[in-house]
Amino acid sequence: VRLAAIAVATVLVAAVVLLSTRRGRAGATEDNATLAVVPFANVGGDSTQQYFADGISDELATAVGRLPGIQVASRSTAYRFRGRRDLDVRDLGKALTARYVVQGSVFRAGDRLRVSAQLSDASTGVEIWSQSFEREFKDVLAVQDDIGKAVAAALQARIAPAARATARTLAHGTADPDAYDLYLRGEFNLRRRSVPAAAANFEQAIARDSSFARAYAGLSQALELFPYYAQTPAKSVEARVRAAARRALAIDSTLARPHAALGMMYMHALRWDSSEVEYAHAVALEPGDAETHLQFGRFLYAKGDLDRAMAEWWRAKALDPNSGVVSSWLAMLLSQEHQYPQALAEARRAVELDSSAGAVALNTAEAFLMAGDTAHARTSALRSPQFPPWSGVRALQLANAGDLEPARRVVRALDTAAPKPWMGETALAFGDIALARYPQALSALERATDLGEIWAIYIPVSERAWDPLRHDPRWTALMRRVGAPGSAIAAASATR
């Protein structure tokens, strides 16, 4: 499966380079051409194969993204057009802000596999290149070399060294098609934030091929999302994250994802300096990855380095202009810095792009509240998840919008719960703040700190949610316990 995808990627890379070469020979060169890869259509009606179609399109985007002078358009936006066969390529190009568009289809039934792809000039609607591959699935490993050699033989004189290096790099992932198939399943589940399923897929891929660096990298990233989406203590996955990330880097030191996972791991452990080092490595290795800039910005925001956080999020938006999550973080920080018109514009954009994401709901609700738009704040807050700690933040936001009842429900549910769920003490603290029970809120945060809950990362100490507690000596003691940087504490007063 993987090798068939690589074959298609090799052909596509060659086609793009051939196009660039011809354009250069004609004297009409183009700087930083933008190409969009629309997720391949999964034909045949078997929805269980969607992960495979998505995986092939991601392989193509990765291959093209490594070429000098080629910028890949937003993948998150491209996913909005998955399965759309009714759109003219010129319309796709406008929607994705791309000069060139790749589309394709995948059909897999039993041991038969058919992959078709085409590259078009979106400015004219003209198809530049297309090819279809049909093979028996069991023979895909054997025929991959033949396909690659045929492509190289046809275009060898015109393929730039960068393109050949890209194909070789991808070919060194794994030689086991079943391992790669499991990896694609993991990536599919990770995008949907089904993180336990994603971690299981990556572990199964590693069991098939213990030298599969990208599977280790995916595992490290999935595990670091457990505290957010699987109600799992951050400390309980720390050793596994470190082992997976270190193993990935030992096999392939050029990977950025393991560094980003280690950055998040150290951030959760409140090891600020180590976290920054890892995030800086990740950004240096993958400067064109919007997700890496987003997560580095989260770290800087938690640290209280607000100017640099803002810069990272603007970079993320430039790389992925249609990410609702990125716009939501920008909206919240812009509101915090009293830039309300721009904050409201970003908040509305975030909701329009991705209203279902938990981060978008939480961030835009806060942005709307600070800008004085309580009606939209309430609408956003009601979209956020209802398990801790999201439920506590949601209750506080609704209270700030004029509705105390959700906070009362959270406090009633968690006050006497034994044991409380992961991040339950943090959620209870938010509910207590909403009801002006400040001593109880501080007690909840002290218990949360004892339990290793990541409350000082989840809602950084510079945010206004904590304002009612700041002048209490117990809050000062908590700041010492969590090792809050002076920059984070100073940021609270700077933005008030």
Side-chain angles (χ1 to χ4, degrees), residues 22-29:
R22 286 177 175 170
R23 198 181 302 117
R25 288 177 178 173
T29 60

Side-chain angles (χ1 to χ4, degrees), residues 12-14 16-17 62-71 160-164 166:
L12 177 60
V13 169
V16 174
V17 175
T62 298
V64 177
R66 294 182 179 183
L67 286 175
I70 299 293
Q71 179 178 345
R164 292 202 297 269
T166 298

Side-chain angles (χ1 to χ4, degrees), residues 1-3 6 137 140-141 171-184 204-212:
V1 174
R2 166 184 172 272
L3 296 176
I6 293 170
F137 178 73
V140 67
L141 292 175
H172 290 158
T174 181
D176 187 329
D178 292 323
Y180 199 79
D181 189 68
L182 289 162
Y183 171 80
L184 293 184
Q204 291 163 351
I206 291 166
R208 297 272 321 176
D209 182 352
S210 62
S211 63
F212 194 176

Side-chain angles (χ1 to χ4, degrees), residues 332-484:
M332 187 171 64
L333 186 48
L334 287 165
S335 269
Q336 189 170 320
E337 296 194 337
H338 312 295
Q339 299 180 41
Y340 298 127
Q342 197 172 7
L344 288 170
E346 288 295 335
R348 294 186 189 111
R349 177 181 177 80
V351 171
E352 179 182 349
L353 290 168
D354 192 0
S355 62
S356 64
V360 169
L362 185 152
N363 292 340
T364 58
E366 195 62 24
F368 284 130
L369 279 171
M370 286 187 280
D373 187 345
T374 56
H376 282 98
R378 176 178 172 80
T379 300
S380 281
L382 288 171
R383 293 193 183 104
S384 62
Q386 299 191 55
F387 56 85
W390 306 79
S391 57
V393 180
R394 166 193 174 114
L396 177 57
Q397 290 173 336
L398 290 171
N400 288 333
D403 183 4
L404 288 174
E405 186 52 36
R408 295 190 184 102
R409 287 198 296 268
V410 165
V411 169
R412 281 197 299 268
L414 291 173
D415 223 354
T416 57
K420 290 184 179 64
W422 163 247
M423 295 295 283
E425 295 288 1
T426 300
L428 179 58
F430 288 126
D432 284 329
I433 292 172
L435 299 177
R437 296 175 10 137
Y438 305 138
Q440 291 92 328
L442 286 162
S443 295
L445 290 179
E446 288 164 350
R447 294 191 297 271
T449 305
D450 292 338
L451 294 169
E453 293 186 4
I454 55 174
W455 62 272
I457 300 299
Y458 188 84
I459 300 294
V461 300
S462 63
E463 286 199 18
R464 70 170 193 157
W466 308 118
D467 284 357
L469 310 181
R470 294 191 193 282
H471 302 294
D472 193 300
R474 294 168 69 190
W475 174 262
T476 304
L478 280 167
M479 292 299 92
R480 288 195 296 269
R481 287 188 63 190
V482 300

